[in-house]
C-alpha cells in the first residue's frame, strides 16, 4: 500500500510539473528536468475545455472556480511560501509538513486547496459517471456490498459535510472507504490513499444548483465521475 501511495504521489506531481513545464518553456521535459526546475507551486491546466462539463457544471462556474478560486490558492500559497523553510519543496511535502502547525495554517490551507482542486478536476470527465468497470467495480462491490451502496455512502458523506469541504473515495488499509473533510483538510495527511473527490464548497455548485447540493452530487455521480482516474489511483 505504501508503494501504491508513493507512486500515486509521483504521478500526481508529474501532472503538476507537466503543467508548469508547458507554461514556462512550451517544451517537453523529462521527470528529472522537472524536479530540478520545480520551485513554485503551479496550477496545472484544466484537463478539458471550460464548458466540457456542462450542463452539470457550467462554463461560468469553471471560470470562477478554476480561474479565480483555484488560481488564488496557488497565488496565495506562493506568496506565503516565499521566505518559508518549506519553499521549494514538492507540494505534497509542503502540505504534510505544514499540517497541524499553528504557525503555518495559511500555508497549509492554500497548499492543500491547490492539491485538492487539481485532484478534483481530474476526478471528473465529460461523459463520465455511472458505474465503473474492471477491478474498481469488483472492489466497490466487495467493500461496500454493491455499487448502489457505494453511491449512497458517497452521496451521504458529500451531502452531510457541514459547511465547506470535500467527500472522498479512499483506499485505507486495503479497503475502499468513503470519507469527508472540512475546508482544506485532505486525506494526504492520513494513511488513506485518495482515489476520487467531489468539492462540496458552495462555490463548486451554487451558480448552477443554488442550495440544492444533493442534486449537484447526484448529477456529478451520474454524469461526471472519472472512474478511469479512480481506477488508475487504485491500481497505481
Ligand atoms: Mn473549490
Amino acid at each position: 500500500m505504501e508503494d501504491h501511495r508513493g507512486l500515486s504521489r509521483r504521478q500526481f506531481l508529474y501532472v503538476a510539473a507537466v503543467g508548469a513545464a508547458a507554461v514556462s518553456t512550451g517544451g517537453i521535459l523529462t521527470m528529472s528536468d522537472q524536479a530540478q526546475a520545480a520551485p513554485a507551486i503551479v496550477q496545472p491546466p484544466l484537463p478539458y475545455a471550460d464548458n466540457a462539463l456542462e450542463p452539470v457544471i457550467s462554463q461560468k462556474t469553471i471560470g470562477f472556480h478554476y480561474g479565480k478560486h483555484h488560481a488564488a490558492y496557488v497565488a496565495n500559497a506562493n506568496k506565503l511560501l516565499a521566505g518559508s523553510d518549506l519553499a521549494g519543496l514538492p507540494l505534497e511535502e509542503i502540505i504534510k509538513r505544514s499540517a497541524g502547525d499553528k504557525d503555518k495554517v495559511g500555508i497549509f490551507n492554500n497548499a492543500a486547496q491547490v492539491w485538492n482542486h487539481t485532484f478534483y478536476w481530474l476526478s471528473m470527465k465529460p461523459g463520465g459517471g455511472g458505474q465503473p468497470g474492471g477491478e474498481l467495480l469488483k472492489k466497490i462491490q466487495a467493500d461496500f456490498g454493491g455499487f448502489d451502496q457505494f453511491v449512497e455512502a458517497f452521496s451521504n458523506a458529500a451531502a452531510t459535510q457541514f459547511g465547506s469541504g470535500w467527500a472522498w473515495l479512499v483506499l485505507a488499509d486495503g479497503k475502499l472507504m468513503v470519507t469527508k473533510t472540512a475546508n482544506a483538510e485532505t486525506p494526504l495527511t492520513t494513511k488513506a490513499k485518495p482515489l476520487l473527490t467531489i468539492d462540496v464548497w458552495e462555490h463548486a455548485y451554487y451558480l448552477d444548483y443554488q442550495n440544492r447540493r444533493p442534486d449537484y452530487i447526484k448529477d456529478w455521480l451520474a454524469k461526471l465521475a472519472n472512474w478511469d482516474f479512480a481506477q488508475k489511483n487504485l491500481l497505481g
Side-chain angles (χ1 to χ4, degrees):
M1 190 182 152
E2 280 305 305
D3 285 344
H4 288 176
R5 203 170 166 223
L7 185 59
S8 150
R9 279 194 203 114
R10 283 195 296 278
Q11 288 172 333
F12 186 85
L13 289 169
Y14 178 73
V15 169
V18 165
V23 168
S24 62
T25 69
I28 295 168
L29 302 177
T30 66
M31 284 288 284
S32 59
D33 288 336
Q34 288 162 8
Q36 285 161 15
I41 290 175
V42 297
Q43 182 181 28
L46 266 184
Y48 29 72
D50 61 0
N51 63 354
L53 304 181
E54 292 191 337
V56 181
I57 297 178
S58 63
Q59 185 177 30
K60 190 172 182 184
T61 289
I62 295 284
F64 281 103
H65 198 180
Y66 177 83
K68 304 291 183 188
H69 291 279
H70 193 190
Y73 293 128
V74 172
N76 288 334
N78 282 323
K79 208 180 296 174
L80 292 166
L81 280 164
S84 154
D85 56 340
L86 301 182
L89 289 175
L91 179 58
E92 298 191 11
E93 277 304 307
I94 292 168
I95 293 166
K96 280 185 223 154
R97 294 192 197 190
S98 61
D101 184 338
K102 62 177 168 36
D103 297 325
K104 293 191 167 77
V105 172
I107 289 176
F108 173 81
N109 282 339
N110 285 283
Q113 281 294 78
V114 172
W115 192 93
N116 288 348
H117 279 89
T118 301
F119 199 81
Y120 170 65
W121 306 126
L122 294 168
S123 293
M124 302 181 282
K125 68 169 189 181
Q131 277 202 21
E135 287 306 306
L136 181 60
L137 180 61
K138 281 187 209 156
K139 186 107 182 96
I140 285 175
Q141 288 167 336
D143 293 347
F144 290 96
F147 183 71
D148 291 347
Q149 284 86 338
F150 156 76
V151 167
E152 193 181 336
F154 190 84
S155 304
N156 190 49
T160 60
Q161 169 53 39
F162 187 76
S164 298
W166 305 81
W168 305 82
L169 174 64
V170 301
L171 184 68
D173 291 328
K175 244 191 130 173
L176 293 181
M177 285 180 55
V178 163
T179 61
K180 54 186 177 178
T181 61
N183 300 318
E185 294 294 330
T186 173
L188 274 191
T189 59
T190 73
K191 285 185 178 169
K193 176 186 181 181
L195 306 187
L196 194 80
T197 193
I198 181 171
D199 187 343
V200 292
W201 283 59
E202 283 187 348
H203 65 223
Y205 61 87
Y206 214 84
L207 294 175
D208 301 316
Y209 290 86
Q210 296 77 49
N211 62 326
R212 295 176 290 113
R213 190 196 287 191
D215 290 345
Y216 157 66
I217 296 162
K218 191 175 168 204
D219 291 347
W220 192 94
L221 280 167
K223 295 171 185 166
L224 296 183
N226 187 347
W227 293 122
D228 298 335
F229 177 64
Q231 174 146 291
K232 202 162 30 167
N233 291 328
L234 172 68
L235 302 177

